[in-house]
Amino acid sequence: MNTNELRSLCPALQNKTYFNYGGQGPLPTPSLEAITNSWRCIQELGPFTAEIWPFIAAEVNSTRRRLAMECGIPPHRLALTENVTSGCVLPLWGLPFRSGDRLLISDCEHPGVVAACVELARRHDLGLDSLPVKQLRADQQQTDQGVLDALEQCLRPRTRLVVLSHLLWNTGQIMPVAAVAQRLKQHTQQPFLLVDAAQSFGQIPVDEAAAASDIYGFTGHKWACGPEGLGGVALSERVLAEASPTMIGWRSLQDERFADLTPEDPFHHDSRRFEVATSCVPLMAGLRRSMELLAEIGSAADRLESIRHLSGRLWQQLNNMGSSLPLLTVPPPAGLMSFQLPSGPEPSDLVKQLGTQGLWIRDLADPPCLRACTHVLSQDAELDALVQALEGISP
């Protein structure tokens, strides 16, 4: 299969020019069919019969193995979740903090994760520090060094957790997760590393970063083109050994027949201690099918090369406009292309105006900018259409 063939299988890409893969990717028709086929099978077997449990176990186990393989970890370290937020926050709240410990959070994190950290700090008397990475706008080598330099400046003796995205959702820079993890091992507290992988999974190779992180939370509904409502989190052996379950349900328990009110150790000893209760099994078939379709186009590295070609071309076109200012001083390392228009309508108004022309990008608040995402499914003609529409915007 080539990209044009896969595009033709995505209803969301028909009759529009789509650049919002960082918000939600299109669901291919074969993936939708896999979901409906799974629903049909469940109903035919009976949704709560003896025959259904082997089917559900096979769906869960195959999905766990597939996602774990993508993350470069053994399956027992991969918990299935509903989204990035639950993947990050559920294990985060189970970490062994003490009053006076400090959380170091990058200044480019998503508000959902930041809010969880702020509330955690309030409840447990933790300190909050900021890791400045927003200003890093140059090539990858300079960015990597800038992150490590900032880390040296911001780590404190009581730092217990560092929060950093693998791919920043606003500026589009890739963070050196493995190098950060290595540096944290040298700290006296050996801080935990929580990585928001919302923008990396399905877009760039993630195995090295996921294996190096303590908590690496991702979703399937963005760059992997899966259904919303299903994601995962890669967990380190240290988290499995030291973190307590937070949201607790029957899936957290070694034995769901548990009735003893004072058990010594009721929870799973692997990633399942952070799974909760009933979830939507048919979504698993849909995500696996989407990942299979993307794999037919090429490996993660191959797809990233195509994405970089497209985002680099768009970066150059926006630079040539004169009235546009890309945030990065070099072509993006992946598919997030953020830029500013110093003159013209408010970003939110511009997004609506482009939408009436069938062109879909989004605006971001911090830093104030517009964001257009190129995917392996994007086409050169779409980039030209976006630039032409931007050139026609009146100041």
Side-chain angles (χ1 to χ4, degrees), residues 8 11 22 35 49 70 87 118 138 164 181 192 196 203 236 268 322 342 372 376 386:
S8 70
I35 294 170
T49 62
E70 197 80 10
V118 171
L164 183 67
F192 292 96
D196 180 333
Q203 179 180 191
S236 68
H268 284 296
V376 67
L386 174 60

Side-chain angles (χ1 to χ4, degrees), residues 108-376:
C108 280
E109 296 312 300
H110 192 276
V113 173
V114 174
C117 290
V118 171
E119 179 61 13
L120 176 70
R122 186 189 69 80
R123 295 191 190 188
H124 296 284
D125 189 30
L126 309 176
L128 293 169
D129 299 304
S130 179
L131 178 69
V133 297
K134 191 186 306 180
Q135 81 287 357
L136 300 174
R137 308 285 176 87
D139 63 37
Q140 194 63 55
Q141 183 177 359
Q142 294 181 64
T143 295
D144 291 354
Q145 189 59 54
V147 173
L148 296 175
D149 290 345
L151 192 65
E152 291 298 328
Q153 294 293 321
C154 297
L155 282 172
R156 299 195 186 188
R158 292 292 303 274
T159 300
R160 188 62 172 145
L161 173 77
V162 174
V163 180
L164 183 67
S165 291
H166 190 178
L167 200 160
L168 302 183
W169 73 300
N170 37 27
T171 69
Q173 289 286 54
I174 295 176
M175 298 289 99
V177 171
V180 169
Q182 187 61 39
R183 173 61 185 90
L184 297 184
K185 291 179 181 179
Q186 303 166 15
H187 189 276
T188 54
Q189 290 284 335
Q190 293 194 330
F192 292 96
L193 176 59
L194 183 155
V195 177
D196 180 333
Q199 300 299 335
S200 53
F201 186 83
Q203 179 180 191
I204 67 176
V206 301
D207 51 346
E208 182 183 37
S213 305
D214 289 296
I215 300 171
Y216 189 89
F218 59 89
T219 182
H221 76 266
K222 294 180 185 285
W223 298 89
C225 297
E228 63 269 36
L230 177 61
V233 56
L235 301 167
S236 68
E237 295 287 359
R238 180 167 64 144
V239 168
L240 297 182
E242 299 182 20
S244 301
T246 47
M247 285 283 290
I248 294 168
W250 61 266
R251 283 170 63 188
S252 315
L253 303 172
Q254 296 187 60
D255 187 348
E256 66 174 276
R257 297 171 298 179
F258 157 77
D260 187 347
L261 295 182
T262 58
E264 290 187 4
D265 188 14
F267 304 109
H268 284 296
H269 296 165
D270 57 23
S271 62
R272 291 174 294 172
R273 70 196 288 113
F274 296 105
E275 296 178 356
V276 185
T278 305
S279 58
C280 186
V281 171
L283 299 182
M284 300 179 191
L287 177 55
R288 293 198 312 274
R289 188 69 183 109
S290 289
M291 295 176 70
E292 290 167 0
L293 292 168
L294 287 173
E296 288 185 26
I297 293 175
S299 67
D302 292 336
R303 298 197 305 270
L304 177 58
E305 183 177 354
S306 296
I307 289 171
R308 281 177 172 164
H309 167 76
L310 290 161
S311 64
R313 185 172 183 271
L314 179 57
W315 179 87
Q316 190 61 61
Q317 287 177 297
L318 291 172
N319 261 326
N320 293 342
M321 276 179 56
S323 59
S324 170
L325 181 64
L327 292 192
L328 300 183
T329 61
V330 295
L336 272 73
M337 177 66 246
S338 295
F339 61 99
Q340 296 169 324
L341 297 178
S343 60
E346 290 295 318
S348 59
D349 293 333
L350 177 57
V351 168
K352 294 177 183 177
Q353 184 175 338
L354 292 175
T356 64
Q357 304 175 44
L359 289 154
W360 295 101
I361 65 173
R362 71 164 295 181
D363 62 294
L364 302 178
D366 186 21
C369 63
L370 297 156
R371 189 185 76 184
C373 298
T374 61
H375 194 276
V376 67

